[in-house]
Amino acid sequence: MNKFLIALLVLATLAVSFAQDIQVAILKTDTPKGECKGKTATIGDYLSLKYVGKFEDGTVFDSSDLHGGAPFNFTIGERKVIPGLEIGTINICEGEKRSIKIPYQLAYGESGIENAIPPRTDIYFDLEVVSIESAPAQPFYYQLIPSVGTIIAFSMLGGFIVLVKYIVKRYPDESNSKKPAAGKPKKTKTAKQN
């Protein structure tokens, strides 16, 4: 029973440390004609959008207008933009306008960007999708390759199993330890007498 409680305590500690509620919030959305009738973006799609990046006080730190008004292009899932922007554009419709809030953990992190984004700063984006180009079909064997999240989850599970095995080995339960059978005297070696 002691082993079970120790393992449960370790599991609870791990769960608390990894269970942070970090999400991209969709603040406002406006789809053309009230509903999405065109393409919606998924992982692998090539997105072209106009954007305005702001801080909570409304100060603009970047926008497509500052870069000549040309749309910004990226492929969802290639990790060439901040993770929050990729997450915030999943299932966005062609022509949709969307406002999102990205927590600093999914933006520029603890350190920010010197002289541009302060450390630990949540950022806001107003997005307008110009076009979505669907990803080319992938061969079936590509779908069998596990994601980074799956690999991390299995690694954590393996580490937890090793930890539980160590705890069980290090702190054996007295009720399961081997005892000599009752009624049989324990044999001991005696020195030969002359």
Side-chain angles (χ1 to χ4, degrees):
M1 187 65 167
N2 291 338
K3 292 184 274 187
F4 177 74
L5 290 175
I6 292 172
L8 190 60
L9 180 63
V10 169
L11 180 61
T13 304
L14 287 173
V16 168
S17 64
F18 288 107
Q20 297 178 355
D21 189 23
I22 303 170
Q23 298 180 26
V24 173
I26 298 174
L27 305 175
K28 186 174 86 173
T29 184
D30 180 25
T31 54
K33 299 177 187 170
E35 66 179 73
C36 186
K37 292 185 179 178
K39 296 178 187 176
T40 58
T42 60
I43 294 174
D45 287 348
Y46 184 76
L47 220 61
S48 181
L49 52 84
K50 293 187 176 189
Y51 70 95
V52 176
K54 308 182 268 192
F55 298 121
E56 189 171 12
D57 66 0
T59 305
V60 175
F61 66 85
D62 194 14
S63 77
S64 50
D65 288 340
L66 295 174
H67 301 283
F72 177 70
N73 306 310
F74 68 97
T75 301
I76 299 175
E78 281 190 345
R79 298 184 180 152
K80 294 189 177 178
V81 297
I82 58 173
L85 188 57
E86 287 189 339
I87 295 167
T89 55
I90 296 288
N91 293 327
I92 198 168
C93 297
E94 199 165 45
E96 180 179 342
K97 294 179 182 179
R98 181 181 283 187
S99 297
I100 59 175
K101 175 188 176 187
I102 303 175
Y104 73 90
Q105 297 94 330
L106 297 174
Y108 296 101
E110 297 282 335
S111 56
I113 296 178
E114 191 174 336
N115 299 324
I117 311 282
R120 299 179 67 132
T121 301
D122 296 343
I123 57 176
Y124 298 78
F125 277 99
D126 293 329
L127 309 170
E128 181 181 354
V129 179
V130 176
S131 68
I132 300 171
E133 292 179 31
S134 297
Q138 293 183 340
F140 176 70
Y141 58 87
Y142 273 40
Q143 298 171 14
L144 298 176
I145 299 170
S147 68
V148 173
T150 303
I151 293 169
I152 290 171
F154 276 109
S155 299
M156 289 178 62
L157 179 63
F160 179 71
I161 290 169
V162 168
L163 181 64
V164 169
K165 283 185 173 184
Y166 171 77
I167 291 171
V168 168
K169 189 176 183 180
R170 178 83 167 105
Y171 304 102
D173 193 0
E174 290 81 26
S175 64
N176 293 333
S177 62
K178 295 182 181 179
K179 296 178 183 176
K184 290 185 180 178
K186 197 173 186 181
K187 294 183 180 181
T188 58
K189 294 183 180 180
T190 58
K192 289 185 179 182
Q193 298 176 339
N194 283 338

